Structures are given as structure tokens and as C-alpha cells.
């Protein structure tokens, strides 16, 4: 991947300068800003408790509801105290922000090299808010000694598991690491539908379908918040590309919006009840997402019933009065915005009546409510206790997640799992002798278990944001060597001739293809960069037993597909990724991931063959993007509607066993619909099937929609009858006049499938 398209000038400049800043002695962290006063002997302690305990601070009474506690504390708060909660700081050394207008200073009490800090209130016992990125674990800003933590596989990999319980377990694991690292807000819950397969952040998100993304992300949020940590669903909304992300104005009709990305957020909100939502950088229908009354007030707060707070993305704030009245509750990461809109300016706007005092109270209410609801008042973070993290247990959580999310895309019978008879195995490329790739940008978790600076493989890319390009030190080579009696050797693949010569003499070749994607830059195309396609082609011609393992952010093209024997999509597999890959290749684990996105056969098949927005535009430009081209027909829906044949369809994935699915029946109970059917493992190995139910109705954006799904774990030869609820919204359209989901017609059909391109049985039914 070249750097010529590194175009997000603003993000680049901001974060690049940060990277130049070396680690310095920063103010020590007070033990919980706003925590109940610390005392040294019993008498003052008792006195302090008398002053600060539930009798004088009734909102600390745990037996009350979060609603009641919020109202009690609000009664005690001055306007200034309420507004103080609405302004957050960037607690990473950022001298470059000390300009005439900004005058940034390190916020006392913030955790160094983290994403955000909002001071607490000692008088009232309100804890501070310590914010960290992101969806796969506790990230760190770049420093010489970053936090080294456990990383889940990428968000798209977790979505590929089609397993809500697994997403929740992963969320709980990273929530625990956040809590023990001193954070009570995790900027996790990334979920922008994949409208653009070249989007540099697809790896952070949950795929292209609103039901799957909403359910998986909702469960991840639920897991995080089980650890007394607020989860921040993001980026609300339509942040579908990184090109011109700070200025892009994505246009989309209301109905299409509600039936696509906003439906994903609606479902995730119902499932996970996130305490916070991060509004996006881009504009939507003319207004910046962070000052968009329709998005924030009408959709999120009124229609979804969201009770928490909306925080800006870092640098996504653009105004005081417009933003506050449009539903923004907290400005994040000062000094990323051009002005401190929610500091003195907000107070003045309230004093002058441009923003009502009721709205100011509402902002504080929305921030405090989730803090009570997740237990941030009752079970307070106590600074950095990361030495108590159970990394061994967490390595197993992430290994399982990686294994369940890997998708076997091709397998010539007999090639995988690797035969015990193989004597020589050649592994090639992507530093498989050292680790597994991760995605770049603010979500970057610096690897635990490697060097103190987190750099497992000396970087081939510039160190500047969104780099460095990092590998988790879980080497597929070592993991495979530990599991086979074959001789396994490694070549980096840079010398194609040498790789081809070695491939000729190996029984099996395992070739790793990688695509590093990162925040702030979209991929230039869907090809594996750095001439990897040519390497794979040449090696596959030399040895037909070539297995390609892909570490990519999202879909890629595979011009060599017909020549290779097998393809395993491993995504960015996280902390235990090498082991997970080896366990799948050897058959210790039967692959069960299914694609949460369509793999196109070419960019010409996409709604936008060329990414919209000129990369050279500056921060004051208004580039437009037309999401009405596909509207709600995102991903597989677009492909089915246009009749385009993808490389691999949504929902697709192979197993080392085989399944049959039959006996589909539909039942209606009141307004609810369920589908019942039987899944049988008809092969010789235990494995997991993912049954998918696609519904069809009239007048929709596309012929079919995913209406429900269920992953079923079956021993060889076993069968199980399962009943799956169909989300009624997938049978409906959003009626913009009444603002309700309505069934445009009563007649539907439902297909039992194992991908968006198959149908084993189809049943018609009427509501
Ligand atoms: C990203 C957010 C992230 C924030 C804080 C922004 O650049 O878009 O996803 O949470 O930075 O690091």
C-alpha cells in the first residue's frame, strides 16, 4: 500500500505531531478525581463518610434506580457543575495544540497517552470519566512505552462468528482490561455498515447487514458494560469511508437511512443499551453529524429512546448553540476541535437563552444516567491496576473469537485440514514467522507479550498516524511447528524465484496474504498490495497444494483463486491469532465463520466504482456523497438487486464437515414470527452450522433481507431442531409519514439458507 493516498491532512497533522512527542513525566493520577475523600485513620474516615455517605448524598444509595439517583444529584448541581460534565480533554501530550486560540494544557487527572478525560466533581462524588479506544481492546496513543494489552480479532472477524454470545464474552474481556487499566468509558461499538469495501475502517465494524451488525455489536456493548465501563456506539452515522471523512456530506433518503445503517444502530441500542453514542465526523444530508437535529434528537433520542449522551468524535464538533440544540451532549478530546465550543461558549449560550437551562440539565442528566446505570459510581475505577489482568485467560477468550470468526472460502477435498502425512510444509510471507497483522489508527491495541514499545516487526511503513503497522507476536510458524511432525520452514516471499523453487519441493505451501488497512485512509483498490497477487500466482503454479491465509481488513480480490487449493480468511486475528490459524489449519478447530460482507468480483460491481470525494479537498470543503444510489440495498442486497455475481456471497463459509438444513416451518404468534427447522451434521467431524433465514416481500429495496440466523453446534451425525425469531422490522418498511415500521403487504416468503446466494427450502406465508 503506497502512501500517496494518505490524504486526511487534518487527522494526519494532528496525530503525526503527537507521535513525535516523546513520553514525558506527566502529573500523577489522583486516586479517582471526584472519588469519595481518601482518609488515613478511622476517625476522619467516619467523619468523611458522614459528610459524603448516602445520608448526605442520597444519589449514592445503591438501592435506588439509576433514574432516581440521577434526579437526586441533578437537584444539587449548579449550572456550572452540570456544564463541566459536557467538556472533555485529550490527555495525551499535545504541545502542538498550544496555539494562540487553543492553549491546550495536560488535563490534571487524565491518564497519559489515552483518548479522553472528563473531570469529576469532588463535592458531589461524581467520578471522572477516563476514556480509551476502542473495539478490540485497550488502545494506546503512540509512545515509547504504550499500554500493552490483549486484542480481540477485528470487529469484522467477530461479526463473522455470527455468534452473539461470543461477541459478548469478548466485550466483557476488553471491558475488564479497560476497567483494570483505569478507564470507565470504552470507545467501542463501532458499526458503520460496509457500503464501501475499500473503507479503511471496515475492520473495526460489524459488516454490511443491519440485523447481523446490530445483534453482534449490541452484544459486544452488553459485555463491555457488564464491567462498569460505558460503551460508546459509533460513528453515528453514515461514516462509510475515510476519504474526506471530516467534510463529506452523505446524502440519503429518510426511509433508506432507517432501513440500513440506522436500523443497525437501532438494534444494537436495543440489545446493548450503550451509555454513549459518538457522532461522526461527516455531514449527513447537509448537516454535520454532531449538530444534526434529525440524527441526534429525532432518530436517536426520540425514536430509539436513547437515554445516554452523545459525544463528538475527536474534532467533530463545529458549533455551540446549533450542536447543543441539535442533541450533542459532550465535546470530546479538547483541543481537537477548532474552538472549545462546550466550555465558556456553552455557558454563555445558556446564560443568554440560546440554549435553555432545561437542555443544559438534560445534557448533564444524559451523562450521569449511564454512569449510575453501569455502576461507575458504585464500582469505581482505581487507576492503573493492569498488573492484575489475567492475560492467560484473556488470550484464550481472544483465541476462541479468532477461531470462530475465520472463514474457510475454498478447500480442495483432502487439502485442509492438513494431512498428518505431509512431511514438508513451506510457509511464506506476511511475517508469519513473527506474528499476525492488526489494523491501524486509534483502535490500535499495542501487543501484549512482545517488546515494550509494542513493535514486534520493525515497521515497514511510516511511524506516523495511523501507523505503526503492528503485529501481535503470535507466530503462525511456531504455532504450526508445535502441532505437526512435518518440517515447517519459512520464507518471506520477497524473492519470488526462491519462493517458487522452494514451493516445488514442499508437500504443502501455506502462503500468507496481507492487507494493512487503517483509520484515515481508504484502500486504493481491492487488490492485495505489494505485488502479493503475483507471488501467490507463481507459487500456486509451482505447487497445487497451496493454501492461502488472508489477513485483511475486509474483502479483497483473488485473481489466483482457481489456482490455489484452499483459502482461509483470518482477518486481523488478534493476540492469539497465530495459534488460532494453526488450530484451524490442522483441524483442531473446525472453521465455522461466515462472511459478514460480500466479497465483490470487481469494483465495477459496486454502487460507487470510484470512491466519492476528491482527496485533495481542504477542511472547509463540502464534498457530496450519494448514498441514495444503493439506499438501503447495501452489500448483498445490492448484488441481488443488480444481478451481479460476487466472488463470495454474504453469509458464505465452508466447514470440514457438511450440514443439511430442512423441514422449514413458519409460526405466527400475535405480531411475532418464528422459523423452525432441523439442522443435521451429515459429515464425519463435529462442527458448527450457521443457518440463515432470508425473507422476501414486495416493494423492498432489494429482493431479500436477512431476517434471522442461528449458529448451531453439532457433533458428527447429530441433528437439532431450532426455532429462530424473525425480526419483524425485516418484514417491514419504515413509513416516514407516521415514523413507524409498517408492513407494506401481507405476503412474504422465507428461505432457509447457508448464504445470501442459496436457498434450501422456501416457505410462503401471510401476516
Ligand atoms: C476516531 C474515533 C476515536 C477517537 C479517539 C477518532 O479519530 O474516529 O473512533 O474513538 O479518534 O481516539
Amino acid at each position: 500500500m503506497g502512501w500517496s493516498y494518505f490524504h486526511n491532512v487534518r487527522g494526519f497533522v494532528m496525530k503525526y505531531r503527537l507521535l513525535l512527542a516523546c513520553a514525558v513525566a506527566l502529573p500523577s493520577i489522583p486516586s479517582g478525581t471526584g472519588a469519595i475523600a481518601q482518609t488515613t485513620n478511622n476517625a476522619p474516615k467516619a467523619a468523611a463518610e458522614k459528610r459524603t455517605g448516602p445520608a448526605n448524598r442520597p444519589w449514592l444509595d445503591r438501592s435506588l434506580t439509576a433514574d432516581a439517583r440521577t434526579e437526586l444529584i441533578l437537584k444539587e448541581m449548579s449550572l456550572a457543575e452540570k456544564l463541566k460534565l459536557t467538556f472533555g480533554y485529550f490527555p495525551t501530550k499535545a504541545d502542538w495544540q498550544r496555539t494562540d486560540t487553543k492553549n491546550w494544557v495536560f488535563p490534571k487527572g487524565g491518564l497519559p497517552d489515552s483518548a479522553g478525560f472528563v473531570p469529576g466533581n469532588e463535592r458531589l462524588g461524581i467520578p471522572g470519566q477516563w476514556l480509551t479506544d476502542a473495539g478490540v481492546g485497550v488502545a494506546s496513543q503512540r509512545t515509547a512505552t504504550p499500554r500493552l494489552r490483549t486484542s480481540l480479532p477485528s470487529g469484522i472477524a467477530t461479526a463473522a462468528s455470527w455468534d452473539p454470545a461470543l461477541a459478548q464474552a469478548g466485550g466483557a474481556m476488553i471491558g475488564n482490561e479497560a476497567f483494570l487499566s483505569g478507564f470507565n468509558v470504552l470507545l467501542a461499538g463501532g458499526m458503520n455498515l460496509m457500503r464501501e469495501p475499500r473503507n479503511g475502517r471496515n475492520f473495526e465494524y460489524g459488516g454490511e447487514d443491519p440485523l447481523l451488525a446490530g445483534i453482534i455489536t449490541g452484544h459486544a456493548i452488553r459485555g463491555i458494560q457488564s464491567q462498569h465501563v460505558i460503551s460508546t456506539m459509533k460513528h453515528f452515522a453514515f461514516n462509510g469511508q475515510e476519504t474526506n471523512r471530516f467534510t463529506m456530506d452523505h446524502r440519503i433518503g429518510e426511509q433508506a437511512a432507517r432501513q440500513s445503517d440506522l436500523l443497525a444502530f437501532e438494534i444494537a441500542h436495543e440489545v446493548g443499551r450503550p451509555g454513549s453514542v459518538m457522532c461522526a465526523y461527516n455531514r449527513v444530508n447537509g448537516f454535520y453529524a454532531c449538530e444534526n437535529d434529525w440524527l441526534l434528537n429525532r432518530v436517536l433520542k426520540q425514536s430509539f429512546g436513547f437515554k445516554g449522551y452523545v459525544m463528538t468524535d475527536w474534532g467533530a464538533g463545529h458549533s455551540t448553540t446549533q450542536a447543543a440544540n441539535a442533541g450533542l451532549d459532550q465535546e470530546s478530546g479538547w483541543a481537537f476541535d477548532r474552538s472549545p465550543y462546550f466550555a465558556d461558549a456553552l455557558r454563555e449560550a445558556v446564560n443568554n437563552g440560546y440554549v435553555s437551562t432545561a437542555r443544559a440539565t438534560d445534557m448533564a442528566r444524559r451523562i450521569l444516567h449511564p454512569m449510575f446505570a453501569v455502576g461507575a459510581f458504585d464500582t469505581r475505577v482505581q487507576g492503573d491496576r493492569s498488573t492484575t489482568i489475567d492475560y492467560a485467560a484473556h488470550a484464550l477468550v481472544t483465541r476462541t473469537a479468532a477461531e470462530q470468526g475465520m472463514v474457510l472460502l475454498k478447500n480442495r477435498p483432502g487439502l485442509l485440514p492438513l494431512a498428518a502425512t505431509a512431511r514438508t510444509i513451506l510457509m511464506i510471507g506476511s511475517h508469519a514467522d513473527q506474528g499476525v497483522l492488526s489494523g491501524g489508527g486509534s483502535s490500535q491495541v499495542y501487543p501484549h507479550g512482545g517488546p515494550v514499545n509494542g513493535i514486534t516487526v520493525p515497521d515497514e511503513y511510516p511511524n506516523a498516524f495511523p501507523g505503526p503497522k503492528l503485529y501481535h507476536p503470535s507466530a503462525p510458524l511456531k504455532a504450526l511447528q508445535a502441532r505437526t511432525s512435518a518440517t515447517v520452514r519459512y520464507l518471506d516471499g520477497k524473492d519470488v524465484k526462491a519462493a517458487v523453487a522452494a514451493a516445488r519441493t514442499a508437500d504443502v505451501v501455506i502462503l500468507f496474504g496481507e492487507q494493512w488497512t487503517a483509520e484515515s485512509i481508504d484502500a486504493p483498490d481491492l487488490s492485495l498490495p505489494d505485488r502479493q497477487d503475483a507471488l501467490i500466482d507463481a507459487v500456486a503454479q509451482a505447487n497445487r497444494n497451496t493454501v492461502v491465509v488472508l489477513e485483511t481488513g475486509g474483502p479483497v480480490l483473488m485473481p489466483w483463486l482457481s489456482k490455489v487449493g484452499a483459502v482461509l480468511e483470518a482477518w486481523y486475528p488478534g493476540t492469539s491469532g497465530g495459534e488460532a490459524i494453526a488450530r484451524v489449519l490442522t483441524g483442531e478447530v473446525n472453521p465455522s465463520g461466515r462472511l459478514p460482507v460480500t466479497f465483490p468480483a470487481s469494483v465495477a460491481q459496486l454502487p460507487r466504482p470510484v470512491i466519492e470525494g476528491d482527496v485533495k479537498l481542504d477542511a472547509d470543503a463540502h464534498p457530496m456523497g450519494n448514498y441514495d444510489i444503493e439506499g438501503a440495498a447495501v452489500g448483498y442486497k445490492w448484488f441481488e438487486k443488480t444481478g451481479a455475481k460476487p466472488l463470495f456471497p454474504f453469509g458464505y463459509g465452508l466447514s470440514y464437515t457438511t450440514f443439511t438444513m430442512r423441514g422449514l416451518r413458519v409460526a405466527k404468534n400475535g405480531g411475532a414470527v418464528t422459523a423452525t427447522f432441523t439442522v443435521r451434521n451429515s459429515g464425519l467431524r463435529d462442527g458448527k452450522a450457521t443457518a440463515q433465514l432470508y425473507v422476501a416481500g414486495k416493494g423492498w429495496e432489494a429482493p431479500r433481507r436477512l431476517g434471522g440466523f442461528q449458529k448451531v453446534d453439532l457433533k458428527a451425525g447429530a441433528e437439532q431442531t431450532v426455532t429462530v425469531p424473525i425480526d419483524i422490522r425485516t418484514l417491514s418498511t419504515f413509513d416516514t409519514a407516521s415514523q413507524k415500521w409498517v408492513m407494506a403487504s401481507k405476503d412474504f416468503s422465507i428461505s432457509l439458507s447457508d448464504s445470501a446466494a442459496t436457498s434450501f427450502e422456501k416457505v410462503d406465508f401471510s401476516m
Side-chain angles (χ1 to χ4, degrees), residues 15 133 201 234-235 245 278 281 313-314 442 519:
K15 295 206 177 178
D133 285 300
R201 299 188 84 171
K234 68 187 186 183
H235 307 89
R245 64 173 171 161
M278 186 190 292
Y281 282 128
D313 199 342
W314 274 231
S442 59
E519 178 184 342

Side-chain angles (χ1 to χ4, degrees), residues 473-638:
S474 170
L477 177 67
K478 285 185 209 108
L480 187 60
Q481 281 167 335
R483 288 174 168 79
T484 174
S485 54
T487 306
V488 192
R489 65 183 279 239
Y490 175 80
L491 287 178
D492 65 17
K494 286 189 180 128
D495 181 342
V496 178
K497 277 192 187 147
V500 166
R504 282 207 182 94
T505 62
D507 291 333
V508 178
V509 180
I510 302 171
L511 208 165
F512 283 74
E514 66 169 26
Q515 177 210 35
W516 183 66
T517 59
E519 178 184 342
S520 83
I521 41 174
D522 291 327
D525 51 41
L526 291 177
S527 299
L528 290 173
D530 304 329
R531 295 185 297 283
Q532 293 176 85
D533 285 335
L535 171 70
I536 299 173
D537 200 279
V539 168
Q541 290 202 41
N543 190 325
R544 64 190 294 271
N545 292 335
T546 293
V547 176
V548 175
V549 178
L550 292 171
E551 294 173 4
T552 67
V556 287
L557 304 178
M558 303 177 201
W560 31 259
L561 185 61
S562 63
K563 295 176 191 155
V564 304
V567 181
L568 178 70
E569 175 57 85
W571 315 106
Y572 302 142
T575 290
S576 307
E579 272 190 291
I581 289 169
R583 278 162 53 87
V584 169
L585 293 177
T586 56
E588 245 174 276
V589 171
N590 191 347
S592 64
R594 301 288 180 270
L595 292 181
V597 291
T598 306
F599 274 42
S602 77
V603 291
Q605 296 178 321
L606 302 175
R608 280 164 293 280
V610 176
I611 298 177
E612 287 172 322
D614 183 338
V615 295
K616 295 182 290 303
L617 294 176
D618 69 17
D620 293 314
H622 285 233
M624 302 267 268
N626 184 5
Y627 279 172
D628 279 325
I629 296 173
E630 75 277 39
V634 179
Y636 65 91
K637 294 169 185 162
W638 172 261

Side-chain angles (χ1 to χ4, degrees), residues 1-3 5-8 15 154 197-205 235 239-243 245 437-444 459 461-470 515-524 529 551-554 572:
M1 183 184 295
W3 285 83
Y5 59 93
F6 193 106
H7 53 265
N8 259 303
K15 295 206 177 178
S154 53
R198 290 158 290 193
N199 175 9
R201 299 188 84 171
N202 283 333
F203 73 93
E204 294 190 53
Y205 302 148
H235 307 89
N239 187 180
Q241 65 181 50
E242 293 298 279
T243 303
R245 64 173 171 161
L437 186 61
S438 60
S442 59
S443 69
Q444 181 74 62
D459 199 6
Y461 286 71
N463 278 340
F465 184 87
K469 181 184 176 200
L470 291 184
Q515 177 210 35
W516 183 66
T517 59
E519 178 184 342
S520 83
I521 41 174
D522 291 327
E551 294 173 4
T552 67
Y572 302 142

Side-chain angles (χ1 to χ4, degrees), residues 2 35 149 163 175 189 192 266 297 323 356 407 437 458 474 479 491 515 534 555 604 608 626 628 654 658 705 761:
R149 297 290 184 269
D163 185 344
N192 294 90
E266 183 173 348
N297 281 336
S356 69
V407 186
L437 186 61
S474 170
L491 287 178
Q515 177 210 35
R608 280 164 293 280
N626 184 5
D628 279 325
L654 301 171
T658 51
R705 301 167 171 170
E761 283 180 9

Side-chain angles (χ1 to χ4, degrees), residues 60-145:
L60 295 183
D61 181 349
R62 295 169 189 223
S63 67
L64 300 176
T65 63
D67 286 311
R69 297 173 75 179
T70 307
E71 294 313 317
L72 284 168
I73 197 169
L74 282 173
K75 277 194 203 132
E76 292 297 319
M77 293 176 79
S78 66
L79 176 65
E81 284 174 326
K82 288 174 188 166
L83 293 183
K84 208 171 162 219
L85 298 176
T86 69
F87 191 72
Y89 299 84
F90 187 49
T92 294
K93 186 170 160 40
D95 283 354
W96 53 276
Q97 291 182 340
R98 209 175 278 129
T99 62
D100 288 350
T101 49
K102 291 194 169 182
N103 196 26
W104 179 90
V105 289
F106 187 90
K108 190 162 176 278
L111 285 171
D113 311 316
S114 68
F117 173 62
V118 181
N121 180 322
E122 200 147 352
R123 184 180 86 80
L124 300 166
I126 301 174
Q129 294 162 60
W130 289 272
L131 287 60
T132 181
D133 285 300
V136 294
V138 177
S140 195
Q141 300 289 327
R142 178 91 196 261
T143 100
T145 52

Side-chain angles (χ1 to χ4, degrees), residues 211 263 695 700 705-708 726-732 741:
L211 184 73
L263 178 56
V695 291
W700 292 358
R705 301 167 171 170
L706 181 70
I726 302 301
D727 191 305
I728 216 73
R729 282 164 298 202
T730 66
L731 299 173
S732 311
W741 292 95

Side-chain angles (χ1 to χ4, degrees), residues 14-88:
M14 281 175 175
K15 295 206 177 178
Y16 177 69
R17 291 201 182 136
L18 289 182
L19 304 177
L20 296 180
C22 55
V24 292
L26 292 161
S28 61
I29 306 143
S31 58
T33 298
I36 297 171
Q38 302 289 310
T39 50
T40 46
N41 68 46
N42 286 342
K45 189 175 173 201
E49 269 169 11
K50 213 170 165 195
R51 274 198 316 279
T52 60
N56 286 309
R57 291 175 167 178
W59 53 88
L60 295 183
D61 181 349
R62 295 169 189 223
S63 67
L64 300 176
T65 63
D67 286 311
R69 297 173 75 179
T70 307
E71 294 313 317
L72 284 168
I73 197 169
L74 282 173
K75 277 194 203 132
E76 292 297 319
M77 293 176 79
S78 66
L79 176 65
E81 284 174 326
K82 288 174 188 166
L83 293 183
K84 208 171 162 219
L85 298 176
T86 69
F87 191 72

